[in-house]
Amino acid sequence: MLRIGNYAFESRLLLGTGKFSDLEVQSKAVEASGTEVLTFAVRRLNLEDRHKQHFLDTLDLKKYTLLPNTAGASTAEEAVRIAELARASGLCDMIKVEVIGDGITLLPDPIETYKACEILLEKGFTVLPYISDDVILAKRLQLLGVHAVMPGASPIGAGRGIINPYNLEIIIEQAVVPVIVDAGLRAPKDAAHALELGADGVLLNTAVSGSGDPVKMAKAMRMGVEAGRLAYEAGMIPVKRYAAASSPAEGMVHT
């Protein structure tokens, strides 16, 4: 069970809704993923004209919890304004805080992210900040009171997988809130790897929507997440420097 603030979910896969070729493919991929949480950029919604069809219209929203994000924000003030707009529209009180600090790498701005989280917590939001794999920032945000941390595996949309498993492991080891690995994943093995390390979940978008068959990839990612979590719970054998025989030596017949 994945618990974030007052919310609880069976699925550990959170799915973004951007970049799908059409709404039918998106709807089928969402179903195949088994996700219970859908994230989207508030700026993609036309909140002034709710009669226009948009990417949420083909989904049975009673089955999902919406996780608006502040994509497009470059300052704390912008992120807070977007979050308040989402809550005022009745979308959800959960917010993924995304404040981009660099237009090339799309890495998050740690200072503006921290400022935004501080303000949003004071306003009563359930706050999930997207951060780089910065161990100290993850700790500082948890001390501040955020409800989850979302370290990137590698830059958004890069598909490079987990480029710094050491940092992720340290963040996970010291975490007192859920750790959801976000951004940069490409293959089901990446999702499995994140869960094997002990992450509580992953958030995917481009890895699914940008694949050749988003519906199949959504299902594959779902299976990767489930496999990784099972492996983590089962406990994997320690890595050894030398070989270790599979059969015990005791009782063997010597010739």
Side-chain angles (χ1 to χ4, degrees), residues 110 131-139 151 167 171:
I131 59 175
S132 60
D133 55 3
D134 185 324
V135 175
I136 305 305
L137 179 62
K139 292 179 68 173
N167 272 28
I171 290 173

Side-chain angles (χ1 to χ4, degrees), residues 162 168 172 181 185 189-202:
I162 300 174
L168 276 185
I172 291 166
V181 175
L185 301 183
K189 67 177 183 180
D190 301 325
H193 189 191
L195 273 291
E196 288 169 7
L197 291 175
D200 297 279
V202 298

Side-chain angles (χ1 to χ4, degrees), residues 37-250:
V37 181
L38 297 174
T39 186
F40 58 94
V42 175
R43 289 186 167 182
R44 291 180 60 209
L45 284 178
N46 187 343
L47 297 173
E48 295 180 352
D49 187 355
R50 300 300 297 271
H51 299 294
K52 286 187 176 179
Q53 188 179 40
H54 56 68
F55 57 93
L56 296 179
D57 285 343
T58 59
L59 302 170
D60 180 2
L61 296 184
K62 294 178 183 176
K63 297 169 57 177
Y64 306 103
T65 297
L66 299 180
L67 174 59
N69 66 59
T70 65
S74 57
T75 66
E77 289 73 20
E78 289 177 356
V80 170
R81 189 161 56 248
I82 293 171
E84 289 182 318
L85 182 62
R87 187 162 68 177
S89 302
L91 297 175
C92 187
D93 74 336
M94 277 205 304
I95 188 75
K96 175 188 167 187
V97 177
E98 184 172 322
V99 183
I100 299 303
D102 179 69
I104 296 176
T105 62
L106 298 181
L107 289 172
D109 184 318
I111 297 172
E112 294 299 312
T113 298
Y114 187 93
K115 288 179 183 176
C117 289
E118 189 171 33
I119 297 169
L120 291 169
L121 286 168
E122 290 175 354
K123 291 179 177 290
F125 282 87
T126 299
V127 178
L128 295 75
Y130 164 60
I131 59 175
S132 60
D133 55 3
D134 185 324
V135 175
I136 305 305
L137 179 62
K139 292 179 68 173
R140 291 285 299 273
L141 286 167
Q142 290 174 77
L143 288 171
L144 186 65
V146 301
H147 300 84
V149 289
M150 307 183 73
S154 54
I156 293 173
R160 301 179 65 87
I162 300 174
I163 58 176
N164 193 345
Y166 174 81
N167 272 28
L168 276 185
E169 282 188 289
I170 300 299
I171 290 173
I172 291 166
E173 284 176 7
Q174 300 185 2
V176 296
V177 298
V179 177
I180 301 168
V181 175
D182 183 11
L185 301 183
R186 176 175 179 267
K189 67 177 183 180
D190 301 325
H193 189 191
L195 273 291
E196 288 169 7
L197 291 175
D200 297 279
V202 298
L203 190 153
L204 304 169
N205 194 151
T206 306
V208 173
S209 64
S211 67
D213 187 331
V215 180
K216 284 185 178 177
M217 185 58 77
K219 183 177 181 180
M221 289 294 189
R222 174 182 186 170
M223 296 170 74
V225 168
E226 292 174 353
R229 182 65 186 183
L230 281 174
Y232 173 75
E233 292 176 347
M236 290 168 283
I237 63 171
V239 177
K240 298 183 178 69
R241 184 174 179 85
Y242 300 108
S246 300
S247 301
E250 293 80 7

Side-chain angles (χ1 to χ4, degrees), residues 7-27:
Y7 297 88
F9 308 104
E10 296 285 345
S11 172
R12 295 176 180 275
L13 194 164
L14 289 66
L15 191 64
T17 54
K19 296 185 177 179
F20 285 93
S21 58
D22 60 61
L23 296 181
E24 183 180 2
V25 170
Q26 173 195 264
S27 180

